[in-house]
Amino acid sequence: ALSPEPPTAQVPRVLDLAAWVDAWRRTSGYPDETDSRDAQQREAWARLLAKDALDRLTHEDFRPVFQLGVLGSPGSVARLNRFFVEAGEEDLSRFRATLRDVLHGEGRVEQRLDRALDKNSPSYVPGLGEGVLMKCLALVQPERFLGVYSSDGDHGKARMMEMLGLPPLPASLSPGTLAVRSNDALREALAPHM
């Protein structure tokens, strides 16, 4: 008797990026009026998140940045909303200090992200996760950070890297390093098309 053939491994579909970008440019109508509005909104939020403006940042000012889908959604924000509802002035000061450190601090951005994402760190703010922090980095440093905020999920950086045929990053990397290196790998792959 013949034994059944072993199942073939699923090969991820690799996007032909050049062909896709070419088709998108021909059919999208880019740039249009929404692109102009998005650019203006990014500039307004970047001013809100500027180093010299963070001392005055209120959670009411910050809420549209993380809650509206404008310029992309950072994912679930229920914990951050709850933090702001329950936060006292000391908590809000820690939030501003953490955001200032991640966006404008000294040292490597990967290390600054790791401090903010470490639940045992004094910098940790519940709900101020990778998605929100990467969106803020993309707002203040659009030349460096893409509008792809989370590493995981169907729309995350790891999935996009897979679609482009890029090698996966080691799971042993810290969350901040993973966030930055996946951003950098995607930016490098997209650079010829930008």
Side-chain angles (χ1 to χ4, degrees):
L2 294 175
S3 61
E5 284 190 35
T8 58
Q10 288 281 8
V11 177
R13 182 176 153 257
V14 176
L15 181 67
D16 179 350
L17 185 59
W20 186 88
V21 169
D22 183 52
W24 178 79
R25 284 190 174 135
R26 285 193 321 273
T27 61
S28 70
Y30 176 81
D32 63 18
E33 67 279 350
T34 60
D35 298 301
S36 176
R37 282 196 309 264
D38 285 352
Q40 291 172 351
Q41 185 62 67
R42 191 210 59 78
E43 291 168 4
W45 284 344
R47 286 190 299 274
L48 190 72
L49 298 172
K51 188 175 187 176
D52 60 346
L54 282 173
D55 286 334
R56 299 180 304 277
L57 182 66
T58 67
H59 66 280
E60 291 89 2
D61 293 332
F62 187 62
R63 191 175 309 274
V65 172
F66 70 86
Q67 210 162 27
L68 298 179
V70 177
L71 301 171
S73 172
S76 175
V77 292
R79 288 180 58 216
L80 187 56
N81 277 321
R82 185 173 42 245
F83 167 81
F84 284 130
V85 166
E86 298 171 354
E89 190 49 46
E90 186 176 316
D91 297 319
L92 294 174
S93 292
R94 184 177 81 247
F95 156 74
R96 291 195 269 311
T98 297
L99 203 52
R100 180 181 300 101
D101 181 48
V102 170
L103 299 180
H104 308 289
E106 298 294 321
R108 298 176 56 84
V109 70
E110 296 94 323
Q111 295 166 337
R112 301 188 324 248
L113 280 166
D114 283 335
R115 282 193 299 270
L117 297 172
D118 179 357
K119 292 179 181 176
N120 297 314
S121 167
S123 302
Y124 179 73
V125 173
L128 191 60
E130 177 195 3
V132 175
L133 293 170
M134 292 303 290
K135 182 171 186 175
C136 291
L137 282 165
L139 293 170
V140 299
Q141 297 181 50
E143 67 288 343
R144 168 87 197 275
F145 293 100
L146 298 171
V148 182
Y149 309 125
S150 295
S151 293
D152 298 325
D154 289 342
H155 303 286
K157 293 185 287 275
R159 175 69 181 119
M160 290 182 179
M161 289 175 65
E162 178 184 346
M163 289 176 66
L164 296 176
L166 300 173
L169 295 172
S172 60
L173 294 176
S174 72
T177 300
L178 186 62
V180 172
R181 284 194 189 169
S182 57
N183 174 85
D184 293 348
L186 287 168
R187 179 166 283 293
E188 184 178 329
L190 296 171
H193 308 286
M194 297 170 95

